[in-house]
């Protein structure tokens, strides 16, 4: 078989039996591999008179011939908007389009005219690609088994195969030659037929910093190979990396061990609904995780996740929020003690365990070391199996400003511990904090005595249908409150309104629907309508027909 050196427009090529070969990486080894010549070749399947336009963005160098594969005269392209970037096919069929020469950018970006016609990439060629993406080529089902060639100067593979829903496999050496790449953002996102990730896929990409949403919505993916990111020590973001991989069943131990520069795992495994467990020590070496995207929504909507390993976040001392971290983990039954003990600068636990409908208890002292927290909004909302709250749960969280919906819709919660909010003197918002806690029968006296800055109690006990009484003086110290809208609406077991309940709340502007549909109330309603200036009392006592003074309540208030 003859071996010879190329000439003309490919003087540096080596040919074996007429086929071009070049040096490429196979794992860590530099080997010779057939490259199919300098041409970038892809296949289209068209119907009669189908049209296609090459996706060439402005700002890049072009000097190539394009053979459309149908016997028509090849065109010459020197600018991004050259007339020869467009072609239509007179006859239906399958054609190979061959680009030979310099084509620094081929960017489908979900906007290419005729993107759905591309079915196969046969050869990467040597076109000096700087930008390459096939985003939205939904019928692309096959790519070469070797490494991408002619893209040594490429620094980003963002959107490379995004939404290529027919692509079912990728070769392990795909990125072996592209060692300058720093960005794999959305590279395989939406590849819903991709069943596996080959081991060593990113071994040679030591410069990469970004894997944001790289495998997002790869719904056929069931596993991740061990050591997938071992050589990617410079990565800073795994945000959404495996989000919505709904068939992903497990995470390999030590997956992120070598990624010590990572600052964000936000939504990394969100909506991985088949994931049942998290390996111990998964984040032990990721000590740089910080920013608002630290672990927010990291495991949200992992509906099959049944446990959290102890000490999962022990080494992540720079984290500032755990917002939605375990939201809607429907199978989670418990929280390990001390889970957040080392996360002393966290400021927010909003929605952290919201929707964990199988969670039955909260460990004592769970937030004892989180003294910088300012918000627990919806932290345990819709934890419908939660029966109790440990005493002193928030004792050390003296900077909290909001408990909005913190226990809303905890339908099995039967009691609130005395003094739960005694140390939370900065709170301004209790909106919906215990709304729809349908098993709650009583409120402890003095629950809000130390919360003098509260402005909003709207909907706080809304829908607490088993609540039978309100302690006298419950709001005596809350002189800054402006709203009691729907505070006790639909508490239809409530028997009476204690005298003087709102006497000290002179700044209130709204009592709208405050006792709406409290059908068991008797005794007298407080004459709130006589206040000056008059607050909004729209339907405040609607349905409270058992009140002794119901007939004297103004029409707008009932």
């Amino acid at each position: 078989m003859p071996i010879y050196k190329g000439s003309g427009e490919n003087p540096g090529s080596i040919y074996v039996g007429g086929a071009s070969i070049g040096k490429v990486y196979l794992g860590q080894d530099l080997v010779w591999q057939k490259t199919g010549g300098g041409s970038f070749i892809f296949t289209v399947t068209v119907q009669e008179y189908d049209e296609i336009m090459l996706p060439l963005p402005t700002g890049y160098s072009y000097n190539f011939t394009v053979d459309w594969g149908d016997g028509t005269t090849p065109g010459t392209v020197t600018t991004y908007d050259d007339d020869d970037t467009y072609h239509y096919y007179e006859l239906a069929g399958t054609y190979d389009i061959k680009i030979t020469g310099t084509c620094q950018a081929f960017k489908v970006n979900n906007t290419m005219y005729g993107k759905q016609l591309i079915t196969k990439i046969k050869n990467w060629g040597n076109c000096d690609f700087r930008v390459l993406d096939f985003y939205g080529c939904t019928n692309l089902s096959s790519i070469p088994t070797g490494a991408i060639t002619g893209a040594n100067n490429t620094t980003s593979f963002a959107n490379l195969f995004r939404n290529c829903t027919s692509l079912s496999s990728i070769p392990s050496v795909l990125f072996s030659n592209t060692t300058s790449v720093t960005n794999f953002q959305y590279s395989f996102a939406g590849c819903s037929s991709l069943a596996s990730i080959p081991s060593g896929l990113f071994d040679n990409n030591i410069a990469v910093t970004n894997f944001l949403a790289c495998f997002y919505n790869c719904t056929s993916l069931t596993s991740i190979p061990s050591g997938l990111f071992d050589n990617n020590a410079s990565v800073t973001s795994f945000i959404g990396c495996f989000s919505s991989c709904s068939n992903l069943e497990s995470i390999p131990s030590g997956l992120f061990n070598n990624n010590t520069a990572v600052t964000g795992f936000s939504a990394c495994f969100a909506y991985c609904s088949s994931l049942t467990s998290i390996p111990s020590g998964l984040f032990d070496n990721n000590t740089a995780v910080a920013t608002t995207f630290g672990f927010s929504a990291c495991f949200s909507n992992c509906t099959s996740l049944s446990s959290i390993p102890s000490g999962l976040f022990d080494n992540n001392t720079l984290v500032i929020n755990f917002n939605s971290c375990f939201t809607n983990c429907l199978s989670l039954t418990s929280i390990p003690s001390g889970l957040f003990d080392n996360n002393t600068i966290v400021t927010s636990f909003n929605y952290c365990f919201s929707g964990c409908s199988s969670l039955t208890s909260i460990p004592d002292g769970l937030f004892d070391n989180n003294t910088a927290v300012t918000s627990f909004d919806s932290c345990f909302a819709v934890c419908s199996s939660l029966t109790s709250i440990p005493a002193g749960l928030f004792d050390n969280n003296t900077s909290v400003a909001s408990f909005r919906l913190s226990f809303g819709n905890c339908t099995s919660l039967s009691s609130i511990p005395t003094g739960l909010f005694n140390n939370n003197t900065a709170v301004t918002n209790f909106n919906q904090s215990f709304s729809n806690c349908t098993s709650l029968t009583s409120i402890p006296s003095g629950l809000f005595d130390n919360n003098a800055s509260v402005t909003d109690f709207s909907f706080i006990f809304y829908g607490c249908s088993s609540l039978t009484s309100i302690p006298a003086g419950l709001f005596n110290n809350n002189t800054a409150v402006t709203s009691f809208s729907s505070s006790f609406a639909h508490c239809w077991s409530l028997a009476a309104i204690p005298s003087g309940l709102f006497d000290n709340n002179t700044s209130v502007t709204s009592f709208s629907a405050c006792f709406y549909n409290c059908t068991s109330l008797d005794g007298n309603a407080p004459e709130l309508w006589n206040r000056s200036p008059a607050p909004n009392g729209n339907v405040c006592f609607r349905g409270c027909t058992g009140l002794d003074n119901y007939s004297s309540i103004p029409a707008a208030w009932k």
Side-chain angles (χ1 to χ4, degrees), residues 10 30 60 64 81 168 186 253 272 336 338 347 349-350 368 377 397 404 419 441 456 507 512 514 516 518 553 556:
N10 295 299
L30 191 62
Y60 297 91
F64 63 83
D81 57 354
S168 59
Y186 287 95
S253 295
C272 291
T347 60
F349 283 102
N350 291 348
D368 277 0
D377 286 359
N397 314 121
R404 182 181 180 275
T441 58
D456 190 356
S507 298
S512 64
C514 186
Y516 182 94
C518 291
I553 297 174

Side-chain angles (χ1 to χ4, degrees), residues 265-272 275 278 283 289 292-303 305 308 312-313 316 319 321-330 332 339-340 343 346 348-356 377-379:
F265 283 102
S266 178
C268 187
F269 298 100
Y271 293 92
C272 291
L275 188 67
I278 304 167
F283 305 118
V289 176
T292 55
F293 299 109
F295 287 109
S296 61
C298 188
F299 298 99
S300 68
N301 292 281
C302 291
T303 54
L305 184 67
I308 303 169
L312 181 62
F313 305 116
N316 313 118
V319 177
N321 91 59
F322 282 102
N323 290 348
S324 301
C325 190
F326 298 101
T327 293
N328 290 331
C329 290
L330 306 181
L332 190 66
L339 182 62
F340 306 116
N343 314 119
V346 172
S348 179
F349 283 102
N350 291 348
Y351 294 89
C352 188
F353 297 101
S354 175
C356 294
D377 286 359
S378 297
C379 187

Side-chain angles (χ1 to χ4, degrees), residues 13 27 36 41 49 51 65 69 134 221 282 292 295 416 432 452 467 483 511 518 549:
S13 297
I41 305 171
Y49 300 125
E51 300 170 314
T65 60
F134 299 90
L221 197 65
L282 182 62
T292 55
F295 287 109
I416 302 169
Q432 302 178 79
L467 186 66
S483 179
F511 285 105
C518 291
N549 60 343

Side-chain angles (χ1 to χ4, degrees), residues 220-271:
S220 296
L221 197 65
T222 59
S223 64
I224 304 167
S226 295
L228 181 63
F229 305 117
D230 277 2
N231 291 4
N232 314 122
S234 298
V235 175
T236 60
S237 176
F238 280 108
I239 293 172
C241 188
F242 297 100
S243 177
S244 297
C245 293
S246 54
N247 282 305
L248 183 66
E249 298 173 353
S250 63
I251 304 168
S253 295
L255 181 62
F256 305 118
N257 275 1
N258 293 0
N259 313 119
T260 56
V262 176
T263 59
F265 283 102
S266 178
C268 187
F269 298 100
Y271 293 92

